C-alpha cells in the first residue's frame, strides 16, 4: 500500500501563455513542463505513487509528455481545479495512502527539500503547504487608489505542494464539493477547520502562467539556479597552422595580405578553427576533425565559416545560447590588431552574436618558439555557452 501519494493537477486547458497547447505540455528547455514536474515526484524517495489529473482531450499530449515515467493511470479532471483534485483523491480510495501531496503541473521547479519538508510537517499537523513570506509592502486598493496598507509580516504567498493526511483532506474536499470555488487545497482544509502549517518554499518554485513566466523559467534553467548542475559551460580550443607559400592569410574570416600563406586542408583559418573547437568542447561534442575529417576531400579549401556555423547550429539544436567567445591569436607577423574590428564583425555574423560578446586579441611570443621564429600562427579560444539543464 502506498504510504505517500502525489497528485499532479494538470487538467487545466489555460493557454494564457498564448499558445494552442495547454501550458503544462509546453517545452521548457526541450522537456515538457509536466514531465519536469512529474519527475520531481517520481524521483523523490519519500513518494510512493504519483498520478496526474488531466483533461482526457489532451490524452495524446499526456502520453507523450510522460512516456517511460513511473506514473499511475491518469485521472479525468473536473470542471474546476478543486473538482479535479477531489477526483484525484477519490481515485486513491481503493488503496488509501497515509499522506497525499497536491501539486500544480505548472510548477516544474519544486525541489526535493520542499517535498521532504512538507511530508515531514504532516507528522505534526493535518495539513502543510509550501509558501514564501511576502516581502513587498502590500496595499489594498479600489478604483486604482490605495485604501490601506496591510501588515505584511503575517502574509505568505501560497505555493504547492500542499500536503495533507489523506483521510482528512478527502473528507474536506467531499464537504466542499458543490460549494463556492476555492483556489487551493489549503482553503478547502481551512474550511473544514484543519490545521495547516506553512513550510518555507522557494522563489524558484514559480507557477508558469504567462509567457513572461515561461521566459523566466527558461532563464532559471539557463543559469542553473535551481540545481547544482549549472547550465553554463565553458569550452576551450587550440589550433596551429604553419606558414607556406602564398600572398595572404585568412584569420577569423578576414583576408589579410602577407608575404606567406598558411598551409592546411581547408582555408587554414586558425582563429576560426580554435573557436569551433571551443564551442564543440563546451558541448562535449568532440573536435572539428571528427565533424569534418581532413581525409574527406569535400573539405579541401573549404571556407571555415562552414565549421563554425555547424558548431553554432549544434548549440541551437540543444536549445542553448552562446554567451561569449574569446580568441587569442599568436604570431609575430602579420600585424593582426588593425583587423580586429572586421574579425569581430565576421564572427558576430556567423554566430548571431553582438560585438560586445566577442573578444579577439593578438599577441606575440617575444620571438620565442615556432610562432616567434615566424613558422606559423597559433590561436586559442574560449566559448561560454548556456544549455538547458
Ligand atoms: Mg586547423
Amino acid at each position: 500500500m502506498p504510504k505517500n501519494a502525489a497528485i499532479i493537477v494538470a487538467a487545466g486547458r489555460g493557454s494564457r501563455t498564448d499558445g494552442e497547447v495547454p501550458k503544462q505540455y509546453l517545452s521548457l528547455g526541450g522537456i515538457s513542463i509536466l514531465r519536469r514536474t512529474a519527475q520531481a515526484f517520481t524521483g523523490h524517495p519519500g513518494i510512493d505513487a504519483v498520478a496526474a489529473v488531466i483533461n482526457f482531450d489532451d490524452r495524446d499530449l499526456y502520453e507523450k509528455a510522460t512516456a517511460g515515467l513511473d506514473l499511475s493511470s491518469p485521472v479525468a479532471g473536473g470542471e474546476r481545479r478543486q473538482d479535479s483534485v477531489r477526483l484525484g483523491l477519490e481515485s486513491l480510495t481503493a488503496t488509501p495512502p497515509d499522506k497525499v501531496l497536491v501539486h500544480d503541473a505548472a510548477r516544474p521547479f519544486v525541489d526535493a527539500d520542499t517535498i521532504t519538508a512538507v511530508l515531514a510537517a504532516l507528522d505534526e499537523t493535518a495539513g502543510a503547504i509550501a509558501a514564501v513570506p511576502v516581502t513587498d509592502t502590500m496595499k489594498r486598493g479600489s478604483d486604482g487608489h490605495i485604501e490601506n496598507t496591510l501588515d505584511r509580516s503575517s502574509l505568505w504567498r501560497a505555493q504547492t505542494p500542499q500536503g495533507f493526511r489523506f483521510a482528512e483532506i478527502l473528507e474536506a474536499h467531499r464537504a466542499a464539493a458543490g460549494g463556492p470555488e476555492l483556489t487551493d487545497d489549503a482553503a478547502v482544509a481551512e474550511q473544514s477547520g484543519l490545521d495547516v502549517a506553512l513550510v518555507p518554499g522557494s522563489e524558484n518554485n514559480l507557477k508558469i502562467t504567462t509567457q513572461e513566466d515561461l521566459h523566466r523559467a527558461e532563464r532559471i534553467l539557463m543559469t542553473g539556479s535551481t540545481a547544482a548542475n549549472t547550465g553554463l559551460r565553458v569550452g576551450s580550443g587550440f589550433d596551429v597552422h604553419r606558414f607556406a607559400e602564398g600572398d595572404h592569410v585568412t584569420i577569423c574570416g578576414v583576408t589579410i595580405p602577407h608575404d606567406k600563406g598558411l598551409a592546411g586542408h581547408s582555408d587554414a583559418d586558425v582563429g576560426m578553427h580554435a573557436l569551433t573547437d571551443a564551442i564543440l568542447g563546451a558541448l562535449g561534442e568532440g573536435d572539428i576533425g571528427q565533424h569534418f575529417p581532413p581525409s574527406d576531400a569535400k573539405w579541401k579549401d573549404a571556407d571555415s565559416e562552414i565549421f563554425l556555423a555547424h558548431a553554432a547550429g549544434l548549440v541551437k539544436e540543444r536549445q542553448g545560447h552562446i554567451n561569449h567567445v574569446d580568441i587569442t591569436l599568436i604570431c609575430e607577423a602579420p600585424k593582426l590588431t588593425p583587423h580586429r574590428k572586421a574579425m569581430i564583425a565576421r564572427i558576430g555574423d556567423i554566430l548571431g552574436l553582438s560585438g560586445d560578446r566577442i573578444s579577439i586579441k593578438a599577441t606575440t611570443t617575444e620571438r620565442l618558439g615556432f610562432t616567434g621564429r615566424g613558422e606559423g600562427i597559433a590561436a586559442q579560444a574560449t566559448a561560454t555557452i548556456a544549455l538547458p539543464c
Side-chain angles (χ1 to χ4, degrees), residues 255-293:
T255 304
I256 300 162
H258 192 46
D259 55 8
K260 293 170 199 152
L262 285 174
H265 191 68
S266 64
D267 63 6
D269 189 331
V270 66
M272 232 184 251
H273 294 180
L275 180 55
T276 303
D277 263 354
I279 295 170
L280 293 174
L283 289 169
E285 291 270 4
D287 62 23
I288 196 168
Q290 260 169 266
H291 292 259
F292 303 97

